[in-house]
Amino acid sequence: MDPCLKLYYPSHEVNAKRLLHEYFSQNVPYSIFKESTINMMKCCYKAFSSGLLSGKTLTDISLGPIIVHLISVCEFVEEISILKVNDASIRELELWKDKDPDTFDWTHTFKLFMELKGTSRDEWQDAEEMLRRKVKHIMKCDFSKSNLTKPFALPRADCVTCIWGLEMISRDHDEWKTTLRKISDLVKLGGHVLIYADINASYFEVGEDKYHLFNFDDAFLRKTLTDGGFAIVHYENLEREACSDCLDHSQKAFVVACKVMET
């Protein structure tokens, strides 16, 4: 990890609400919102609606208290478990699930998703209630443990979503491989991982705070997935559009990989 970048996401609490307002609010610059929300929604929805992905259970390990991807895939699964490495994200998600007035307002995102899939914007409240019902667990995870959710044993899922997850948890190549192996342990044999990641990135900012991201390229991502017992069934690059110094990256990768063997 670059010693000049002081904050390591699993160890340093992020201002969860500020993260959401700076990257996922309808008031952020359109180029940032397109990368953080619109493109991700399109990729995730297409993967499930096309039949590329299927299954009843989904476990999510992603940056902060984001639910953009879960909005996109909720209708295709029955149960969702959300794992977070720090408490601030858990608190924000629990506020949302409990309909607390202090929670981040995702109305604009739900309405946008209704438009993207060609249904009435008026159905957004039904979609939000459906997602709330399907989220069964919101829990702490610890990547220093062999069982991430110890003492609770979370059943293996049909799909694990990892949105900006691996790069924020991993500090070097070896830790990336270890993290991927622990994520693989959450997936059934024949199940899938869905990854949305920043390529050639080293940091992201929330307010005045700068957080480490592990820098990797497409070749590394492909190789570690293959070596980790996965077969890549879809790989797509999305070029950078955001004109901002809050995140340095050359492009994004959207990947669906099937777990074909235990490692």
Side-chain angles (χ1 to χ4, degrees), residues 52 156-158 180-181 183-193 222-234 256-263:
L52 186 63
R156 288 187 171 188
D158 296 306
L180 179 61
R181 185 170 62 249
I183 289 174
S184 176
D185 288 340
L186 299 173
V187 187
K188 295 177 181 177
L189 193 62
H192 294 80
V193 291
R222 288 178 181 272
K223 187 176 189 308
T224 52
L225 281 169
T226 302
D227 292 347
F230 290 93
I232 296 173
V233 296
H234 179 80
V256 177
C258 178
K259 181 176 177 179
V260 294
M261 62 182 293
E262 302 284 357
T263 57

Side-chain angles (χ1 to χ4, degrees), residues 62-93:
S62 299
L63 170 68
I66 62 173
I67 61 171
V68 173
H69 53 304
L70 301 179
I71 293 171
S72 310
V73 307
C74 170
E75 65 187 272
F76 302 103
V77 298
E78 295 180 7
E79 294 186 7
I80 298 172
S81 298
I82 301 176
L83 308 184
K84 295 297 172 187
V85 299
N86 50 45
D87 295 326
S89 295
I90 291 175
R91 287 194 296 270
E92 179 60 33
L93 284 166

Side-chain angles (χ1 to χ4, degrees), residues 20-261:
L20 296 179
H21 281 292
E22 291 183 1
Y23 288 90
F24 300 93
S25 165
Q26 61 185 332
N27 298 319
V28 302
Y30 179 75
S31 60
I32 294 177
F33 188 73
K34 186 176 180 182
E35 285 195 12
S36 70
T37 302
I38 298 173
N39 290 346
M40 189 208 305
M41 278 186 160
K42 288 180 177 178
C43 287
C44 292
Y45 182 72
K46 184 177 179 180
F48 275 86
S49 63
S50 67
L52 186 63
L53 283 169
S54 62
K56 295 181 178 180
T57 56
L58 183 149
T59 297
D60 176 55
I61 304 176
S62 299
L63 170 68
I66 62 173
I67 61 171
V68 173
H69 53 304
L70 301 179
I71 293 171
S72 310
V73 307
C74 170
E75 65 187 272
F76 302 103
V77 298
E78 295 180 7
E79 294 186 7
I80 298 172
S81 298
I82 301 176
L83 308 184
K84 295 297 172 187
V85 299
N86 50 45
D87 295 326
S89 295
I90 291 175
R91 287 194 296 270
E92 179 60 33
L93 284 166
E94 288 176 339
L95 288 176
W96 167 78
K97 187 168 170 57
D98 294 339
K99 303 181 184 180
D100 191 290
D102 192 41
T103 192
F104 179 78
D105 186 359
W106 289 100
T107 301
H108 65 287
T109 311
F110 278 97
K111 287 182 177 180
L112 171 63
F113 178 62
M114 296 297 104
E115 289 182 358
L116 290 176
K117 72 171 194 170
T119 57
S120 171
R121 286 168 61 96
D122 295 338
E123 297 178 17
W124 72 269
Q125 289 177 308
D126 293 335
E128 186 168 22
E129 285 308 306
M130 178 172 62
L131 179 55
R132 283 195 178 98
R133 290 195 305 271
K134 291 187 177 182
V135 173
K136 304 300 182 183
H137 304 104
I138 302 171
M139 64 178 64
K140 188 80 172 278
C141 66
D142 185 347
F143 276 85
S144 69
K145 299 177 180 178
S146 55
N147 173 13
L148 302 184
T149 57
K150 189 177 181 178
F152 182 78
L154 190 68
R156 288 187 171 188
D158 296 306
C159 179
V160 170
T161 50
C162 195
I163 311 299
W164 298 301
L166 283 157
E167 62 264 48
M168 70 177 180
I169 296 169
S170 308
R171 287 167 289 195
D172 53 40
H173 288 71
D174 290 336
E175 193 164 21
W176 173 287
K177 294 172 184 177
T178 300
T179 300
L180 179 61
R181 185 170 62 249
K182 291 179 179 180
I183 289 174
S184 176
D185 288 340
L186 299 173
V187 187
K188 295 177 181 177
L189 193 62
H192 294 80
V193 291
L194 182 155
I195 296 171
Y196 190 79
D198 287 314
I199 301 296
N200 298 318
S202 62
Y203 73 87
F204 71 98
E205 294 179 343
V206 179
E208 301 301 317
D209 296 327
K210 182 178 286 188
Y211 290 84
H212 157 82
L213 289 177
F214 173 61
N215 194 322
F216 63 95
D217 58 18
D218 284 307
F220 177 78
L221 179 54
R222 288 178 181 272
K223 187 176 189 308
T224 52
L225 281 169
T226 302
D227 292 347
F230 290 93
I232 296 173
V233 296
H234 179 80
Y235 197 107
E236 179 180 355
N237 284 122
L238 297 89
E239 293 304 317
R240 175 174 178 167
E241 298 182 62
C243 299
S244 171
D245 294 330
C246 63
L247 172 68
D248 69 328
H249 64 295
S250 61
Q251 57 188 353
K252 296 193 185 303
F254 177 72
V255 189
V256 177
C258 178
K259 181 176 177 179
V260 294
M261 62 182 293

